[in-house]
Amino acid sequence: MAAEGGGKEMNEIKTQFTTREGVYKLLTHSEYSRPNRVPFNSQGSNPVKVSFVNVNDQSGNGDRICFNVGRELYFYIYKGVRKAADLSKPIDKRIYKGTQPTCHDFNPLTATAESVSLLVGFSAGQVQLIDPIKKETSKLFNEERLIDKSRVTCVRWVPGSESLFLVAHSTGSLYLYNVEHTCGTTPPHYQLLKQGDGYAVHTCKSKSARNPLLRWTVGEGALNEFAFSPDGKFLACASQDGFLRVFGFDAAELHGTMKSYFGGLLCVCWSPDGRYIVAGGEDDLVTVWSFSDCRVIARGHGHKSWVSVVAFDHCTTSVEDSDPPAEFSGSDEEFHEQIHFGGGRDRANSSQSRLSKRNSTDGRPVSVTYRFGSVGQDTQLCLWDLTEDILFPHLPLSRTRTHTNVMSATSPPAAGTATTTNSTSTTTATSTTTSTNTTTSSAVNTNPFGTNGNNTVSSSSGSSGTPANSLPAPLPRSNSLPHSSGPAGGSTTPNSHTGGGGKGGSIIDSAFIATGVSKFATLSLHDARKERHEKDHKRNHSMGHISSKSSDRLNQLSSAARTAKADAAKTLGTLLCPRMEEIPLLEPLVCKKIAHERLTVLIFLEDCLVTACQEGFICTWARPGKVGLLSSQNAANSPSGTVV
């Protein structure tokens, strides 16, 4: 089902969009902004950011929202889909002189109806701890800017802690603070604690306890965003040098790395179960990285400019049994989650989860779908579905590299219909595989452009014991180029591109691959387009993140850009940064222009999703079936029967 409004003029701003689970609607009454609703002149200012906290008050309306616009910081009761926003009564409003707020974070552990702890980072490097309910400013960290003089790019409370927080700066440094400690009157002296590839960790040498407790230097250039894993044990860092680095937080051990296709990485987030990380940045792509395999498993191309925020939709993640070959199984809640999360790739994969169950030859026990979203400087919101065909590449689909076969070949798949989706064509073939436990076969590919598409590397999503080798349903266009159906009958395509990269285990049998005649015609066009796209970006991206106007900084940036180009050439085509044709290319199920200015916020809540643009307007989009809570309108129930 194509998303709504596809035929209208491209520049029109959308106020609703349709996915398989129903219609998401913009609630104009629930828009938050500065009290006068005047668009903010955003040139030269820091991105608008939004933070939420629930204070668990008795009224049932415990959500609070904080957002920064220019030099101003606002704190409101957030009424979401329930009631219209009342902008005339902010609980707290602050206007700063000489510096601007850049980011903020609430501590959910200490929040009550009488008090909340809000950290605010600033463009000159300071971090403030305030209580917007009591209207107190309790502490200012790095006040004299002795620790770091550069802009604060990201601030987060350490999960599970009431006193520890982590601050990232545009120098590429991360500092661990304790709210109980002072920052001292002299610059800190550091002692090396641990060093590794692209990072170093120092402790602060001091006779008495003082901040910072630790300093991490990560990569080259700014550290644009970091995110803790759901269990709080790991830290993912997205840097301007284009690297995603994932650390064990307590041990300060590097777990794995990934490199952007080109340019800096600007944003990062974890899946709700901690198995996958999505990053976005200056290559206009969203990149999905497997935590357990430490490798890229898919990229998504839908944005026309830099991707500024990525976020998983925790309410629509679905991992559920698929014993009945038809329809959904499980409780109403699971059904609700499945249609939310599985209701994803409208153009790409709208019914993948159900179809994969139907085509399951031996009642495979798991059906997995993750929904995530992204917003960018192109003013577009994209929603994506990460489905089992990407997460668990099936035998006929896996030919790019030999990797750990997570399916463990527990039982031989019977003869069935398999579809391989190239980024250029879709080919259908009937193939029969024989019963084997560990098949070692070198797949060879006659395609001169290298391996491709959804014939992807196998992914062990962290539940390595989960068998998932049911033969997949047709993968409707998870890649961005048009369908064309090739002849049935699998031709065995030897592949010069097999490279090791798994962590042991059985090798994927890729002998039976269907190839389409039409792929050769469209691949060259696809590659040429990519090259042109890359050239355009390389022209722009090297000066992308200038925070200081000094000539030293400019020289530093241009030399960094030169070395970055050399490094990119080394990493392209490796596990750090696979070529575009080596892994699946996702297509967004929704891609809508929803603002006039670049988008800077995307947050998924239970009843709605929240976006914000640089003009300072924070928009609430009601989930399907939730819009009726705001007024007496009938709830817009989705055709698939969303449980409200």
Side-chain angles (χ1 to χ4, degrees):
M1 174 172 68
E4 200 165 282
K8 295 180 184 173
E9 190 187 339
M10 290 303 290
N11 286 331
E12 184 188 341
I13 289 183
K14 303 295 185 288
T15 55
Q16 63 181 51
F17 54 85
T18 305
T19 63
R20 190 165 62 99
E21 66 266 22
V23 181
Y24 288 75
K25 293 189 176 178
L26 176 66
L27 302 179
T28 51
H29 301 298
S30 295
E31 183 178 89
Y32 286 77
S33 67
R34 299 193 295 172
N36 55 11
R37 290 194 186 272
V38 173
F40 173 68
N41 179 9
S42 60
Q43 292 198 330
S45 68
N46 290 289
V48 172
K49 300 277 182 170
V50 172
S51 296
F52 284 99
V53 68
N54 190 295
V55 299
N56 300 314
D57 71 351
Q58 301 304 312
S59 69
N61 191 14
D63 288 329
R64 302 289 181 268
I65 183 172
C66 170
F67 57 91
N68 61 292
V69 183
R71 300 187 180 281
E72 301 161 18
L73 188 75
Y74 292 95
F75 181 70
Y76 282 98
I77 292 176
Y78 179 71
K79 297 175 181 175
V81 299
R82 292 182 296 276
K83 290 181 183 173
D86 181 1
L87 297 182
S88 63
K89 297 175 184 171
I91 300 174
D92 196 15
K93 171 188 173 180
R94 293 169 189 242
I95 301 176
Y96 294 94
K97 294 176 183 174
T99 185
Q100 295 185 9
T102 56
C103 50
H104 30 85
D105 190 43
F106 287 106
N107 192 331
L109 285 182
T110 59
T112 65
E114 293 77 41
S115 170
V116 293
S117 298
L118 176 66
L119 289 168
V120 185
F122 290 91
S123 56
Q126 304 94 334
V127 179
Q128 195 179 38
L129 175 63
I130 61 177
D131 187 332
I133 296 179
K134 291 181 176 174
K135 297 185 172 49
E136 290 176 359
T137 302
S138 49
K139 282 187 179 172
L140 188 58
F141 301 92
N142 193 27
E143 182 175 7
E144 303 297 325
R145 303 171 69 215
L146 297 170
I147 296 170
D148 201 307
K149 291 182 168 60
S150 70
R151 181 172 57 92
V152 176
T153 54
C154 187
V155 61
R156 295 267 189 276
W157 291 96
V158 173
S161 173
E162 295 187 6
S163 57
L164 297 177
F165 63 93
L166 202 56
V167 182
H169 287 259
S170 58
T171 52
S173 294
L174 265 175
Y175 300 94
L176 180 66
Y177 287 83
N178 186 324
V179 293
E180 309 298 334
H181 297 174
T182 63
C183 288
T185 53
T186 56
H189 292 284
Y190 295 106
Q191 182 173 354
L192 183 65
L193 178 69
K194 184 166 284 193
Q195 198 163 11
D197 186 16
Y199 80 103
V201 184
H202 294 80
T203 55
C204 183
K205 279 171 46 177
S206 173
K207 289 179 181 173
S208 57
R210 66 162 284 181
N211 284 318
L213 306 177
L214 291 176
R215 180 186 73 178
W216 298 54
T217 48
V218 180
E220 294 178 17
L223 201 166
N224 291 321
E225 190 177 31
F226 64 83
F228 282 99
S229 60
D231 61 7
K233 293 178 180 175
F234 291 89
L235 182 71
C237 299
S239 296
Q240 190 59 31
D241 62 6
F243 279 91
L244 166 74
R245 294 175 178 88
V246 182
F247 298 97
F249 182 61
D250 290 338
E253 293 281 356
L254 184 64
H255 171 78
T257 56
M258 181 272 284
K259 172 76 173 61
S260 68
Y261 197 64
F262 60 81
L265 285 178
L266 304 177
C267 51
V268 63
C269 68
W270 291 79
S271 65
D273 56 9
R275 292 178 179 178
Y276 301 99
I277 295 173
V278 171
E282 295 175 0
D283 53 10
D284 300 359
L285 302 169
V286 292
T287 303
V288 186
W289 191 79
S290 164
F291 176 79
S292 58
D293 285 358
C294 291
R295 60 176 182 77
V296 177
I297 59 167
R299 289 191 182 102
H301 186 226
H303 287 285
K304 299 181 180 70
S305 186
W306 297 356
V307 180
S308 46
V309 184
V310 285
F312 273 88
D313 185 352
H314 58 283
C315 295
T316 55
T317 297
S318 153
V319 180
E320 61 173 59
D321 293 341
S322 59
D323 296 334
E327 293 315 315
F328 295 93
S329 61
S331 68
D332 281 352
E333 285 165 9
E334 288 171 333
F335 172 75
H336 176 49
E337 284 179 3
Q338 173 67 27
I339 53 181
H340 252 330
F341 205 99
R345 208 179 289 173
D346 262 316
R347 275 173 279 176
N349 216 358
S350 58
S351 55
Q352 175 60 29
S353 299
R354 257 187 288 197
L355 286 169
S356 61
K357 293 175 185 181
R358 273 192 200 124
N359 284 321
S360 173
T361 53
D362 49 1
R364 283 286 158 228
V366 77
S367 166
V368 186
T369 317
Y370 297 85
R371 166 76 56 79
F372 64 94
S374 57
V375 295
Q377 300 200 4
D378 56 1
T379 71
Q380 293 196 126
L381 163 72
C382 291
L383 294 182
W384 314 80
D385 264 4
L386 192 55
T387 47
E388 10 176 46
D389 52 284
I390 306 296
L391 304 175
F392 309 115
H394 307 287
L395 290 176
L397 288 183
S398 304
R399 79 162 193 263
T400 26
R401 280 204 175 89
T402 51
H403 259 290
T404 309
N405 180 358
V406 293
M407 298 77 131
S408 320
T410 46
S411 64
T417 302
T419 308
T420 73
T421 312
N422 288 327
S423 61
T424 56
S425 63
T426 310
T427 342
T428 313
T430 305
S431 62
T432 309
T433 52
T434 54
S435 162
T436 86
N437 272 343
T438 319
T439 29
T440 316
S441 128
S442 81
V444 190
N445 180 12
T446 51
N447 173 356
F449 300 101
T451 55
N452 181 25
N454 270 349
N455 323 341
T456 125
V457 281
S458 125
S459 141
S460 110
S461 69
S463 62
S464 51
T466 310
N469 55 344
S470 53
L471 287 175
L475 306 178
R477 270 193 292 181
S478 31
N479 292 336
S480 57
L481 288 183
H483 264 308
S484 61
S485 206
S491 66
T492 327
T493 53
N495 167 14
S496 56
H497 206 83
T498 48
K503 300 186 178 169
S506 56
I507 305 297
I508 295 168
D509 181 355
S510 322
F512 300 103
I513 309 274
T515 52
V517 178
S518 58
K519 75 178 169 191
F520 298 105
T522 43
L523 252 178
S524 52
L525 170 102
H526 180 61
D527 282 8
R529 201 171 62 191
K530 281 277 172 248
E531 279 169 30
R532 209 163 50 239
H533 184 60
E534 184 169 348
K535 272 182 202 155
D536 290 345
H537 264 283
K538 287 202 169 167
R539 201 175 303 138
N540 304 325
H541 94 265
S542 61
M543 304 304 286
H545 226 83
I546 301 174
S547 57
S548 129
K549 294 190 173 85
S550 71
S551 59
D552 293 351
R553 180 80 175 127
L554 290 175
N555 293 336
Q556 187 186 334
L557 275 167
S558 57
S559 66
R562 281 196 296 275
T563 56
K565 279 184 183 173
D567 291 346
K570 290 178 200 164
T571 57
L572 187 62
T574 67
L575 275 179
L576 277 178
C577 180
R579 295 180 188 279
M580 290 301 289
E581 64 270 17
E582 290 173 5
I583 54 166
L585 190 62
L586 305 176
E587 185 181 70
L589 67 107
V590 165
C591 188
K592 295 292 177 193
K593 179 182 172 70
I594 60 167
H596 289 293
E597 278 288 333
R598 64 186 187 272
L599 292 162
T600 57
V601 170
L602 174 63
I603 298 171
F604 289 95
L605 300 176
E606 191 178 343
D607 294 333
C608 58
L609 59 96
V610 176
T611 61
C613 71
Q614 196 53 28
E615 287 183 312
F617 296 118
I618 290 91
C619 299
T620 298
W621 301 76
R623 290 186 187 271
K626 302 292 186 181
V627 69
L629 299 176
L630 187 63
S631 63
S632 57
Q633 304 162 2
N634 291 326
N637 288 318
S638 74
S640 51
T642 303
V643 181
V644 178

